[in-house]
Amino acid sequence: MPWNDNSNNNNGPWGGNRPGGGGRRPQSPWGGGNKPPDIEEVLKRFGGGAGKFFGGMGGPFLALILGLVALLGWGATGFVVVDQAERALVMRFGEYNRTLQPGFHIHLPFPIEQRLVENVTRTREIDIGPPSEALERFNLSTNQRGGETTQGRPTINEEALRALERTADYQDGLMLSGDENFVVVSFTIQYNIGDLRNYLFEIRDPEGAVRAVAESGMRELVGSLSYEEVSQAGRDVLGQDLRVLMQEVLDSYMSGVNILSVQLRDISYPPRVAEAFLDVAAADQDARAAINEATRYQNEQLPQARAEAEALLQEAQGYRERVVAEASGEADRFRQVYESYSASPDVTRRRLFLETMEEVLSKTDKVILESDAGSGVVPYLPLNQVRGSN
Amino acid sequence: MRTAGILTVILVAVAATIALNSYYIVREYEQVVKLRFGEVVFVANPAGEVSDGVAIGEGPGLYLKVPLIENTVRYDSRNIMLDSNPSLVTVAGGERITVDSFARYKITDPVTFYSALNNLFEANSKLSALVEDSVRAVLGGQSQETIISEERARLMVQIRDRVNAQAKANQFGVEVIDVRIRRADLPEANADNVYARMETERRQQAALARAQGNERARIISAETDRQVVGLIAQARKESETIKGEGDAQRNRIFAEAYNLNPEFADFYRSLQAYKAAASEGDQLIISPDSEFYRYFTSERGGR
């Protein structure tokens, strides 16, 4: 027994010298001083030590224990817990044997049976195109505000624009429409695993395939539409069409991928031409404003004119009434005078005449001259005025 | 005893090594080529048709080999992505566009694949060249619209078929399943043209909208002005008529009254006129012979 053996106090169970045992020189764990370990020596000591260890202890029993532990360890390669969202494929000597449902399972250990576990129901996402925030900087995202046009014209920061245009995301999203206009599309693919066997056994790098097919497919679709069609027909139709196209292609690859949905996050014009595009909306607003202004003018002028017209008419009517009333009054006065005159004409005539002339002549300055002084130069000297100026 | 122990260990180790090397497992997604002294003698789980003369093992599973003398090369049996470099294609009209495509292929005949291409790296390189070449051949000379538009699908099939034909001719041992145009981009200069055109179109649209708006506005204004003038003119016309009626009525009234005795009317109205017409300061030259002064020179009023 190693602990009974007093002859080699400096040895550990594995043989060799313990550090700090013999001399002060640094020791390797395999013993031997400065020389590199010798294979034979090592084996000898190993074998010797092990032999001593086992031999001394009741060797078969210990061997059994160790054997069982090793066996258990080996068997444990066959234990697996399959999560609710997962499925596992078991291959026996490499050949597909069965699928494991969620739960705890034991299968034959490696390399007899080998399992591959994969989450099948989790929704995986791939984003393609620039994120909305990047576009919002240039006032472009039509994602929010239900597609209304925004007020005001942006001043585009040229540097920021170039930085955006250099990003891979932006280049992924920049596409040509059928009528050769640029359009920036951002979309998200959501998929999960439909057929696990195909997914694991038929296709290499399925995620890469999904991405490549998505990019290619979207460009194909956008390229078949005019710019107007793309921006108006919009997101739902485009998303549906792409989903169908992608599923078709991925099925032809036997990818086992199940495309759940394609969501269009943004469809917009490239920021480089933002000013011109927003100008269109601004122009519409300007046009509307001009028309409104003219309508306002109309609403102001017409009532005014109508009022003026009315006033003219009223004035005319007033004139008519006045004139008629005055005339009636005068005519009545005449009639009454004539009535009273008719009773004694001569007397009344003479009296009227004298009364009138009295009034007239008393107002005026008179010069009384002989009537035959009317021809030739009138011999008249305005003494009044001469006297007045002295 | 020690020597025996060591020997046992060595023997066990050697036996184990030999045992581990005498078999190989071929998984569902693999195909394996077995070589003896560098020559292909067996294929396990091939993905497609294998050239004649080589023994085939169908399906995945456990296979045996002679250790040390025979060794294996593993290949993927799945659908593999081929990413090629963008090709520069000259379209009708002389412009050049950059076409970025990708392809999916399978190693169908691993035996010929082993001798022709040998590994995925080589395969990628050689097949890429084929794809780029075919892209140029099929798309070159097409118009830009065709490439970008619905014809795309048809063209991609053409490219695929061409690549496959060439791969077969070269005996690569692969089958190309699909070739897709990922991107067809315009070179810088053209892109600028497109931007310029997009801008111009929109600016024209904007200008048109503004012009139409202004025109409409002007029409409304002019209409309004015209209506205003019309209203006033109409009112004036009517008011003159009304005034005329008034004047006519006035004349009728006077005529009616004065016709009772025209002579007296004349007399009466004249007297009114004299009264009204005389103002302070007027100078009148009167003869004493006037009616007014009848009794001026004689008490009997004679001449």
Side-chain angles (χ1 to χ4, degrees), chain A residues 140-328:
Chain A
L140 289 188
S141 174
T142 54
N143 211 7
Q144 353 89 315
R145 305 193 198 105
E148 286 169 31
T149 53
T150 53
Q151 301 287 332
R153 302 142 201 257
T155 39
I156 305 253
N157 180 340
E158 185 65 28
E159 253 184 63
L161 176 62
R162 263 194 277 261
L164 173 68
E165 286 179 341
R166 271 195 286 266
T167 62
D169 274 348
Y170 179 82
Q171 285 170 15
D172 284 348
L174 184 66
M175 309 188 182
L176 270 177
S177 67
D179 55 355
E180 294 193 33
N181 282 316
F182 280 126
V183 58
V184 177
V185 184
S186 297
F187 56 107
T188 301
I189 313 291
Q190 290 182 328
Y191 69 99
N192 62 12
I193 300 177
D195 185 323
L196 188 57
R197 281 183 71 178
N198 279 351
Y199 187 85
L200 291 176
F201 298 153
E202 293 296 328
I203 188 168
R204 184 180 160 113
D205 183 22
E207 174 162 335
V210 173
R211 181 168 247 273
V213 170
E215 270 189 72
S216 157
M218 181 57 93
R219 278 159 197 276
E220 199 180 313
L221 287 177
V222 168
S224 69
L225 300 171
S226 74
Y227 180 84
E228 295 306 322
E229 287 172 326
V230 171
S231 44
Q232 281 161 16
R235 26 195 92 217
D236 292 328
V237 174
L238 221 51
Q240 277 286 66
D241 288 350
L242 184 62
R243 189 176 64 77
V244 170
L245 176 63
M246 282 182 71
Q247 192 69 67
E248 210 178 289
V249 174
L250 288 168
D251 285 348
S252 79
Y253 296 170
M254 309 240 304
S255 64
V257 167
N258 178 34
I259 303 291
L260 295 169
S261 74
V262 173
Q263 285 166 356
L264 274 286
R265 287 179 279 125
D266 279 303
I267 304 176
S268 79
Y269 42 84
R272 191 159 277 282
V273 292
E275 272 188 69
F277 272 72
L278 290 174
D279 200 32
V280 172
D284 281 339
Q285 286 182 355
D286 285 350
R288 259 199 297 271
I291 293 176
N292 285 347
E293 180 62 28
T295 310
R296 193 193 56 74
Y297 174 75
Q298 182 184 59
N299 291 342
E300 200 181 78
Q301 290 292 313
L302 284 184
Q304 235 178 62
R306 277 192 274 265
E308 220 178 293
E310 189 62 25
L312 280 172
L313 288 178
Q314 296 283 359
E315 191 212 329
Q317 281 164 353
Y319 172 87
R320 181 176 59 185
E321 280 175 30
R322 176 174 61 83
V323 148
V324 166
E326 277 178 5
S328 300

Side-chain angles (χ1 to χ4, degrees), chain A residues 328-376:
Chain A
S328 300
E330 273 188 48
D332 273 349
R333 185 176 168 199
F334 172 80
R335 263 191 257 267
Q336 289 183 4
V337 166
Y338 179 65
E339 238 182 80
S340 59
Y341 163 82
S342 304
S344 34
D346 291 325
V347 168
T348 311
R349 180 180 284 258
R350 185 73 184 155
R351 184 182 57 80
L352 284 175
F353 173 75
L354 287 171
E355 275 176 359
T356 301
M357 296 317 290
E358 181 184 332
E359 195 182 317
V360 169
L361 290 174
S362 57
K363 260 201 250 179
T364 60
D365 296 344
K366 298 161 288 288
V367 176
I368 302 174
L369 281 178
E370 287 288 335
S371 55
D372 49 358
S375 54

Side-chain angles (χ1 to χ4, degrees), chain B residues 59-229:
Chain B
L62 182 68
Y63 290 87
L64 300 175
K65 65 181 173 100
V66 177
L68 297 180
I69 297 178
E70 295 181 333
N71 65 311
T72 54
V73 180
R74 273 174 208 273
Y75 292 126
D76 207 318
S77 66
R78 296 177 293 183
N79 175 320
I80 303 171
M81 170 88 112
L82 174 70
D83 219 334
S84 41
N85 290 324
S87 350
L88 213 53
V89 175
T90 308
V91 297
E95 289 163 354
R96 319 232 293 197
I97 61 174
T98 313
V99 178
D100 182 16
S101 52
F102 71 92
R104 308 254 1 153
Y105 71 98
K106 258 195 198 181
I107 302 171
T108 47
D109 184 348
V111 179
T112 40
F113 185 81
Y114 175 76
S115 31
L117 298 173
N118 190 259
N119 58 65
L120 286 186
F121 184 76
E122 268 302 305
N124 205 62
S125 164
K126 293 262 165 56
L127 285 175
S128 287
L130 278 190
V131 170
E132 287 157 40
D133 179 62
S134 290
V135 164
R136 254 192 301 271
V138 171
L139 296 185
Q142 304 276 350
S143 70
Q144 210 167 289
E145 298 82 61
T146 314
I147 295 173
I148 294 168
S149 70
E150 324 167 317
E151 292 291 306
R152 210 174 166 108
R154 184 177 63 79
L155 292 171
M156 293 196 283
V157 170
Q158 270 190 296
I159 297 172
R160 181 197 68 193
D161 291 342
R162 196 170 190 279
V163 174
N164 252 336
Q166 293 201 317
K168 197 168 289 181
N170 288 338
Q171 295 192 302
F172 282 164
V174 303
E175 187 197 324
V176 175
I177 297 164
D178 199 11
V179 178
R180 303 216 143 239
I181 297 174
R182 201 203 318 251
R183 234 179 257 187
D185 283 336
L186 299 175
E188 259 318 299
N190 280 39
D192 286 342
N193 283 354
V194 172
Y195 283 128
R197 185 171 46 78
M198 288 179 81
E199 252 184 276
T200 313
E201 276 179 22
R202 293 315 174 287
R203 293 220 187 273
Q204 279 176 353
Q205 222 178 314
L208 185 65
R210 288 204 173 89
Q212 284 178 337
N214 284 340
E215 185 194 333
R216 184 98 198 85
R218 249 191 309 244
I219 288 175
I220 293 175
S221 285
E223 263 289 308
T224 305
D225 289 339
R226 190 187 62 72
Q227 280 184 303
V228 163
V229 166

